[in-house]
């Protein structure tokens, strides 16, 4: 069956490889950013056009073979073990319509390409913390970046998608055309088709006051408690997160942080003139400029600078094109394990409980434990509605495991459960699919959306993919 399938695909795919497991280049074609996940589909197809995507889907549907999609592989948590794996990295390219502030983004693009293309026009995408992440998978899950309180979920800024649905047809999904699919793709994640491109509205933003304050281990308790209180005073134009890092003694790490457990307080301020677009993509002010931006940013951040001794202070004026410097996430492929939750409002009891299970005196197998402040624009849905889950949460929590695959199945899951158990009073009943990790915890997938949204997503999938060409959800589904 596989040999026949490969022959049919090679006869119709106009460009890009069609590879079986024994072919040269197969392993590279299916490699993910998370190297702990090794995909082993029956066939890998590298598409370079919508026509190729449509051909793959038609052939798969007629053969009763499932189709899954791989772009950068940042979201890969569970190996693909059968069917066709479509890789979209060859669907690149970014074009900017300056007058409309719209970026047309190919499915294979990473945020770095969009940021660079927009920066020359004084524009910026509402992107993620890492500019190395693929745009499409991130956006269809919602996307909470370092400007989330000001501009909301990244998916709120998607204006249309092009995709191939299970019948092999190329469709546009927007507020005017196939609006049910558009609603679903802004937060519903997967199971609707192969997205080939996205139109994404940009914001006029050229400068930030942003960076990170680092505190040594003996200052963490004081600084973290102050951070929780401080977040309740911030305007929507400021977004912050706090992260406990357990850093190895490697030379690539700055000497003041090397081999230490530290707290990083990340901060991004865009200016008092910035805000959400209006219905239909209205005007957004560019924000406070120049010295006014820095002066107001300094005023807002000063309580955190004063609360404890700062080990490193990198907060400064920076071009919006350097937004990825705030989180400074790794860019090279490597093994990864994470587990996320959303949180309700935090208080002094949370601070004490959290430090008791995750603070610097605890021995836990997590290199990073991060909490991001939400609210503001995150809490407001777009006028036409969207499927994204988690708008009512106040904070996020994510655990990043020690990057040793030997720990991923046996050590990290029970360690995560032990850490999260005392935090249950603050864990939100809402969840978000981009924070759900491998979806191996029973019920975690269903919890990514309110029940009525989950049901509507299932109905839309059934309408556009009645035979289940595009699998979705946890591994057992």
């Amino acid at each position: 069956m596989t040999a026949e399938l490969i022959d049919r695909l090679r006869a119709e795919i106009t460009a890009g490889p069609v590879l079986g497991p024994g072919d040269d280049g197969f392993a590279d074609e299916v490699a993910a950013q998370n190297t702990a996940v090794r995909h082993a589909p029956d066939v890998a197809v590298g598409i370079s056009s919508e026509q190729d995507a449509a051909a793959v889907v038609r052939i798969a549907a007629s053969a009763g073979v499932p189709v899954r999609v791989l772009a950068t592989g940042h979201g890969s948590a569970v190996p693909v073990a059968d069917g066709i794996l479509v890789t979209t990295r060859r669907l690149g390219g970014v074009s900017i319509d300056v007058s409309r502030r719209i970026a047309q983004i190919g499915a294979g693009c990473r945020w770095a390409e969009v940021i660079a293309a927009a920066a020359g026009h004084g524009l910026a995408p509402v992107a993620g913390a890492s500019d190395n992440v693929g745009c499409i998978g991130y956006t269809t899950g919602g996307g909470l970046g370092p400007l989330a309180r000001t501009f909301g979920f990244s998916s709120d800024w998607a204006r249309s998608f092009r995709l191939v649905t299970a019948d092999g047809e190329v469709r546009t999904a927007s507020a005017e055309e196939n609006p049910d699919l558009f609603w679903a793709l802004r937060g519903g994640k997967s199971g609707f088709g192969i997205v080939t491109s996205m139109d994404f509205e940009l914001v006029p933003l050229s400068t930030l006051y942003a960076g990170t304050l680092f505190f040594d281990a003996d200052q963490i308790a004081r600084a973290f408690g102050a951070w929780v209180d401080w977040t309740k005073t911030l305007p929507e134009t400021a977004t912050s997160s706090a992260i406990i890092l357990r850093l190895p003694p490697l030379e690539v790490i700055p000497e003041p942080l090397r081999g230490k457990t530290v707290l990083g307080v990340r901060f991004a301020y865009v200016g008092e003139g910035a805000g959400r677009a209006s219905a239909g993509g209205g005007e957004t002010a560019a924000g406070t400029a120049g010295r006014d931006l820095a002066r107001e940013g300094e005023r807002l951040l000063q309580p955190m600078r004063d609360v404890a001794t700062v080990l490193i202070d990198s907060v400064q004026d920076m071009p919006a094109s350097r937004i990825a410097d705030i989180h400074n996430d790794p860019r090279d492929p490597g093994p990864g394990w994470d587990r996320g939750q959303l949180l309700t409002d935090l208080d002094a009891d949370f601070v004490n409980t959290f430090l008791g299970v995750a603070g610097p005196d605890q021995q836990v197998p997590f290199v990073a434990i991060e909490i991001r402040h939400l609210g503001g624009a995150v809490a407001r849905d777009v006028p036409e509605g969207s499927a994204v889950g988690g708008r009512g949460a106040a904070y996020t929590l994510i655990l990043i495991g020690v990057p040793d695959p030997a720990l991923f199945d046996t050590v990290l899951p029970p360690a995560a459960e032990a850490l999260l158990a005392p935090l249950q009073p603050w864990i939100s009943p809402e969840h978000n699919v981009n924070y759900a990790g491998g979806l191996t915890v029973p019920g975690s997938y269903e919890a990514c959306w309110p029940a009525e949204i989950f049901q509507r997503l299932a109905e839309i999938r059934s309408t556009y993919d009645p035979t289940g060409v595009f699998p979705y959800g946890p591994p057992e589904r």
Side-chain angles (χ1 to χ4, degrees), residues 367-411:
V367 294
I369 303 174
E370 183 194 46
I371 297 176
R372 298 187 188 186
H373 183 207
L374 301 181
V378 170
R380 296 190 294 270
D381 202 354
V382 290
E384 61 275 17
S386 67
V388 73
R391 288 197 187 273
Y395 298 82
T396 72
L397 169 66
I398 190 163
L399 313 177
I400 308 295
V402 172
D404 179 356
L407 307 179
F408 288 5
D409 293 331
T410 57
V411 174

Side-chain angles (χ1 to χ4, degrees), residues 88-451:
T88 61
R89 66 179 66 107
R90 295 169 183 84
L91 291 173
V94 178
S95 61
I96 307 293
D97 183 332
V98 178
S99 64
R100 297 172 56 229
R101 297 205 321 264
I102 294 292
Q104 186 175 73
I105 303 169
C109 287
R110 302 172 190 251
W111 282 118
E113 300 170 66
V114 185
I115 291 169
H121 306 289
L123 301 172
V126 179
S130 170
D131 64 0
N132 197 42
V133 170
C135 302
I136 299 299
Y138 169 85
T139 301
T140 56
L144 291 167
L147 305 180
R149 282 177 46 78
T150 307
F151 298 114
F153 281 94
S154 297
S155 58
D156 296 345
W157 295 83
R159 295 295 173 250
S160 69
F161 298 89
R162 292 275 290 179
L163 73 159
V164 176
T165 49
D167 56 3
E169 293 297 317
V170 180
R171 301 177 190 273
T172 296
S174 68
E176 297 78 28
E177 197 171 350
N178 298 304
D180 53 347
L181 266 179
F182 184 53
W183 175 89
L185 288 166
R186 291 205 286 184
K189 193 68 173 182
S190 61
F192 307 102
I194 301 175
V195 176
T196 58
S197 68
M198 168 176 68
D199 280 7
F200 194 87
E201 185 177 349
L202 307 170
V203 298
L205 185 68
S206 57
T207 307
L208 305 169
Y209 183 74
T212 304
L213 304 178
F214 287 99
F215 299 90
D216 213 339
D218 61 350
Q219 306 291 306
I220 287 178
R222 182 186 311 164
F224 179 72
W227 177 79
V228 169
D229 291 338
W230 175 69
T231 59
K232 302 178 191 304
T233 71
L234 290 178
E236 291 186 12
T237 46
T239 302
S240 182
S241 64
I243 183 167
I244 295 178
L245 294 165
R246 289 170 164 83
L247 298 167
L250 301 177
E251 291 188 4
V252 296
I253 296 170
E255 194 279 330
L257 308 179
R258 198 173 299 157
K260 292 185 175 182
T261 296
V262 298
L263 176 74
V265 171
R266 294 155 170 169
F267 181 69
Y269 175 67
V270 300
E272 289 304 320
R276 277 281 294 271
S278 62
E283 289 301 314
T284 306
T288 312
R291 284 177 289 182
D292 290 342
L293 176 71
R295 187 182 301 116
E296 182 60 14
E298 287 174 0
R299 185 190 69 79
L300 289 170
L301 186 60
Q302 198 60 47
M304 288 307 305
R305 285 185 164 130
D306 292 342
V307 76
T309 302
V310 178
L311 195 61
I312 294 178
D313 184 343
S314 71
V315 184
Q316 59 186 318
D317 278 347
M318 67 166 61
S321 59
R322 286 180 50 203
I323 192 170
D325 291 358
I326 301 171
H327 284 240
N328 197 29
D329 285 352
R331 299 184 63 82
D332 294 334
W337 185 98
D338 64 79
R339 171 86 181 274
Q341 295 285 342
L342 302 188
L343 304 174
T344 58
D345 203 19
L346 306 185
D347 54 22
D349 287 343
F350 173 85
V351 171
N352 293 330
T353 304
F354 176 74
L355 292 173
V357 294
D361 297 330
Q362 308 306 311
Q363 299 298 314
V364 293
F366 302 106
V367 294
I369 303 174
E370 183 194 46
I371 297 176
R372 298 187 188 186
H373 183 207
L374 301 181
V378 170
R380 296 190 294 270
D381 202 354
V382 290
E384 61 275 17
S386 67
V388 73
R391 288 197 187 273
Y395 298 82
T396 72
L397 169 66
I398 190 163
L399 313 177
I400 308 295
V402 172
D404 179 356
L407 307 179
F408 288 5
D409 293 331
T410 57
V411 174
L412 294 180
E417 292 297 331
L419 190 151
L420 292 171
L423 304 180
Q424 286 300 315
W426 297 276
I427 290 179
S428 172
E430 299 188 50
H431 204 7
N432 176 269
V433 68
N434 281 358
Y435 277 80
L439 299 170
T440 54
V441 177
S444 61
Y445 181 72
E446 292 79 0
C448 290
W449 299 274

Side-chain angles (χ1 to χ4, degrees), residues 37-42 68-70 76 78-85:
V37 175
R38 297 179 181 273
H39 296 305
D42 297 320
R68 299 175 180 86
V69 181
L70 175 70
S76 293
V78 178
V80 172
D82 63 355
I84 299 171
L85 184 61

